[in-house]
Amino acid sequence: MKPHFLPILTLSTLWLTSCQPDQPRTNELEGKVKKETVGVTAKVPGRITQLLVKEGDVVTKGQILARIDIPEAEAKLLQAQGAFTSAKAQYQMALRGATPNERRQADAALTAAREQADLAEKSFKRVQHMYQDSLISAQQYDEMQAKYGSARAQLNGTQAKRDEVDGRIRAERIRMAYGDMLRAEGALKEVQAAIREKVIVAPQAMTIESISLHEGELAPAGYTVMTGYDNTRTYLRFTVSEKEVGPFKKGEVYTVRLPYAPNQSVTARLVTVKELSAYAARTTSYPTYELGEATYELKLVPTDPSQQDNLLSNQTVLLPRR
């Protein structure tokens, strides 16, 4: 064959290919089984000491999945307990007032101050007469007068202290002590809550899919240690074009076939018809949509909850077209 015949042959081949009829459309929509993903995270940072599950295990709500070590929490617990004990004692002391021993100490201090003031008064009177008779200097007189005034001031202060011991406690002081106690109690509860997080439990019944961290590794706060599937929230997802979505009605029950499990089917109820705005979201195996045609997602839920356990995530399912 000569070279100048090649373009003509190529054009003929393209023309014949374009004239081929479209691939026949199947009578079933292809979809996938989807399960809600559950992430299990560590609330406080710590090192994983023990893993109690492995991938593929089915766990129940509240089951312990792993244990982590938080050595700093033990020291903080002792500090918080000491602070709470001290603050509670201060509040109780503010409520009850002075003790009998404190009252006796105040009485003794008042008696001593009164005797000192009496002695200073007598000494000052003697010095005063001696000063009038010019027997002492003015400096000595001023010094004795100052000592007498200091003794009187000491007596007044001790008397006020004694009156405070016997008197009523200020409400502000009680509220201040109560606030300190509440603050210390809150810090204690915070540490106790952190210690309870030494075990990681399953938030709900699920199947463990993957484990991100293993024994000896450090788990940061909020890091997903493992993920799983919630078997109670399984749905079947199909994508249909705008021209085909009309016959599907919410609330109706459909029979969905499992192509790779002969003679097995699932009855499911259509619960959601949602438009897909992005073309990349179309997952059909037969992209025969026209330009500008909208696509919709059909979301079906098995009517029999017991059938959800037998469905695997991303398993292919087929729905008859209407």
Side-chain angles (χ1 to χ4, degrees):
M1 183 180 294
K2 294 183 179 180
H4 62 274
F5 290 109
L6 290 177
I8 300 176
L9 179 60
T10 304
L11 292 175
S12 301
T13 305
L14 292 175
W15 181 80
L16 291 174
T17 303
S18 62
C19 293
Q20 292 293 329
D22 294 338
Q23 183 178 1
R25 187 179 62 173
T26 63
N27 293 325
E28 293 177 309
L29 292 172
E30 182 177 331
K32 292 292 184 180
V33 176
K34 296 296 181 181
K35 293 178 179 286
E36 293 292 339
T37 304
V38 181
V40 181
T41 61
K43 187 175 181 180
V44 294
R47 192 171 301 278
I48 297 179
T49 58
Q50 187 180 17
L51 279 175
L52 302 177
V53 293
K54 58 183 181 298
E55 294 180 356
D57 287 353
V58 179
V59 298
T60 59
K61 182 178 180 180
Q63 181 177 338
I64 298 178
L65 306 179
R67 301 182 188 275
I68 61 176
D69 182 31
I70 315 174
E72 299 85 357
E74 301 294 339
K76 291 182 179 180
L77 177 62
L78 294 176
Q79 296 175 4
Q81 287 175 340
F84 175 67
T85 301
S86 177
K88 185 177 181 180
Q90 291 288 342
Y91 175 62
Q92 292 175 346
M93 186 172 64
L95 285 178
R96 297 173 182 174
T99 63
N101 287 333
E102 291 175 338
R103 290 190 177 91
R104 286 195 294 269
Q105 291 175 6
D107 290 339
L110 179 60
T111 301
R114 187 177 291 115
E115 291 178 354
Q116 289 291 334
D118 293 342
L119 178 60
E121 184 179 5
K122 292 177 182 179
S123 299
F124 176 68
K125 288 180 179 180
R126 293 192 189 100
V127 170
Q128 191 176 25
H129 291 306
M130 294 174 67
Y131 177 71
Q132 292 173 356
D133 294 339
S134 301
L135 296 177
I136 60 173
S137 64
Q139 178 66 29
Q140 292 175 323
Y141 174 77
D142 292 340
E143 290 177 356
M144 194 62 203
Q145 187 178 21
K147 290 181 181 179
Y148 174 61
S150 176
R152 293 296 304 176
Q154 184 69 26
L155 175 62
N156 292 334
T158 307
Q159 182 66 53
K161 189 67 176 179
R162 180 65 181 84
D163 294 341
E164 184 180 2
V165 170
D166 281 341
R168 189 174 180 181
I169 301 176
R170 293 183 59 176
E172 294 85 353
R173 180 174 298 178
I174 295 177
R175 288 198 296 268
M176 182 176 62
Y178 181 68
D180 291 341
M181 185 186 69
L182 289 181
R183 182 170 54 187
E185 184 180 7
L188 176 61
K189 290 183 177 180
E190 182 179 2
V191 177
Q192 290 174 341
I195 290 180
R196 286 195 295 269
E197 297 299 327
K198 293 179 67 173
V199 293
I200 300 178
V201 300
Q204 59 193 56
M206 63 186 216
T207 301
I208 303 297
E209 178 207 8
S210 62
I211 299 177
S212 305
L213 298 176
H214 299 83
E215 295 181 2
E217 294 184 303
L218 183 64
Y223 186 83
T224 302
V225 177
M226 58 187 70
T227 57
Y229 291 125
D230 182 3
N231 294 325
T232 63
R233 289 188 292 176
T234 303
Y235 62 92
L236 314 178
R237 179 180 179 273
F238 298 89
T239 304
V240 297
S241 64
E242 181 179 358
K243 67 178 69 172
E244 295 179 304
V245 72
F248 295 97
K249 304 298 181 181
K250 289 177 59 175
E252 291 188 359
V253 177
Y254 300 87
T255 299
V256 180
R257 188 170 64 87
L258 280 64
Y260 302 113
N263 302 323
Q264 289 191 18
S265 61
V266 177
T267 57
R269 187 182 307 276
L270 180 60
V271 295
T272 303
V273 179
K274 180 178 67 175
E275 180 186 3
L276 296 178
S277 56
Y279 178 82
R282 300 174 182 174
T283 59
T284 178
S285 301
Y286 308 100
T288 58
Y289 301 108
E290 297 178 1
L291 183 64
E293 186 178 1
T295 56
Y296 293 85
E297 178 189 76
L298 305 180
K299 183 176 178 181
L300 292 82
V301 177
T303 56
D304 186 1
S306 62
Q307 292 181 323
Q308 299 185 21
D309 297 334
N310 299 326
L311 296 175
L312 303 178
S313 180
N314 290 323
Q315 186 178 12
T316 302
V317 287
L318 299 177
L319 176 66
R321 295 178 186 271
R322 292 298 182 96

